[in-house]
Amino acid sequence: GEGFVTTPDDFGTQAAPLGFASGKQADADAFNRIRERALGDLKQLLRPELLNRIDHTIVFRPLDQTAVAAIVRLQLEALNKRLAERDCSLVASRGAVKFLATRAWQPLEGARLVRRVIEEHVEAPLATVLIGSGRRRARIRLAALKGRIVIR
């Protein structure tokens, strides 16, 4: 039969570099260290008879800020669809997307914080605005201004 085995997303991250190295080669070297550490940890965790049955091992690269920004845009599109049910639309500036992505990006956390950041900086304040004003059929614009999201 076929199966699928997953490990925790922090598996092997003890090999993650500390410091300020950047650039494609530094990123590739760091990923290779993490990959080798994760595969080594896997060999220690699983018995050889199980390990020999594994056909493929995939180690995913950590999300970068560009990927997190794309996820932020997808989440905002989903929010826009929910708002459309109330005859409202949502438009986020590039600065707003960048602000949210920067707040949500943590190298070892992946995209976990995106949802929480959008709830805190967009949904909760937006609900207050919509409920307080009783507005319907609103075109809502998000912008980043002075370290926060502004709803217009």
Side-chain angles (χ1 to χ4, degrees), residues 13 40 86 94 99 106:
T13 57
R86 297 178 50 97
R94 287 184 186 154
F99 172 89
Q106 295 291 325

Side-chain angles (χ1 to χ4, degrees), residues 82-99:
R82 292 194 317 267
L83 287 169
E85 296 171 5
R86 297 178 50 97
D87 294 326
C88 295
S89 65
L90 177 73
V91 177
S93 70
R94 287 184 186 154
V97 171
K98 183 177 179 179
F99 172 89

Side-chain angles (χ1 to χ4, degrees), residues 77-152:
E77 286 175 23
L79 175 57
N80 192 32
K81 287 179 182 174
R82 292 194 317 267
L83 287 169
E85 296 171 5
R86 297 178 50 97
D87 294 326
C88 295
S89 65
L90 177 73
V91 177
S93 70
R94 287 184 186 154
V97 171
K98 183 177 179 179
F99 172 89
L100 295 167
T102 299
R103 291 276 191 283
W105 183 71
Q106 295 291 325
L108 297 180
E109 294 292 322
R112 276 192 195 98
L113 297 177
V114 171
R115 186 82 215 118
R116 191 174 312 140
V117 166
I118 290 175
E119 286 173 356
E120 178 184 339
H121 293 279
V122 179
E123 291 181 358
L126 181 58
T128 302
V129 168
L130 291 176
I131 291 170
S133 68
R135 289 196 305 183
R136 292 187 65 79
R137 296 185 180 204
R139 181 165 186 203
I140 302 150
R141 291 175 291 169
L142 300 179
L145 183 64
K146 296 181 181 178
R148 64 185 189 97
I149 293 292
V150 177
I151 298 171
R152 300 180 184 160

Side-chain angles (χ1 to χ4, degrees), residues 26-115:
D27 291 344
D29 291 344
F31 176 73
N32 286 333
R33 282 194 304 276
I34 291 170
R35 183 179 190 283
E36 291 306 315
R37 176 65 187 260
L39 294 175
D41 287 355
L42 190 62
K43 287 178 183 175
Q44 290 179 358
L45 180 68
L46 302 177
R47 298 192 333 229
E49 54 271 18
L50 178 58
L51 197 57
N52 289 333
R53 292 176 173 243
I54 297 174
D55 294 326
H56 302 285
T57 305
I58 300 170
V59 178
F60 293 96
R61 292 186 180 279
L63 295 176
D64 61 11
Q65 284 184 320
T66 303
V68 172
I71 295 167
V72 165
R73 282 190 290 277
L74 289 171
Q75 290 292 313
L76 290 175
E77 286 175 23
L79 175 57
N80 192 32
K81 287 179 182 174
R82 292 194 317 267
L83 287 169
E85 296 171 5
R86 297 178 50 97
D87 294 326
C88 295
S89 65
L90 177 73
V91 177
S93 70
R94 287 184 186 154
V97 171
K98 183 177 179 179
F99 172 89
L100 295 167
T102 299
R103 291 276 191 283
W105 183 71
Q106 295 291 325
L108 297 180
E109 294 292 322
R112 276 192 195 98
L113 297 177
V114 171
R115 186 82 215 118

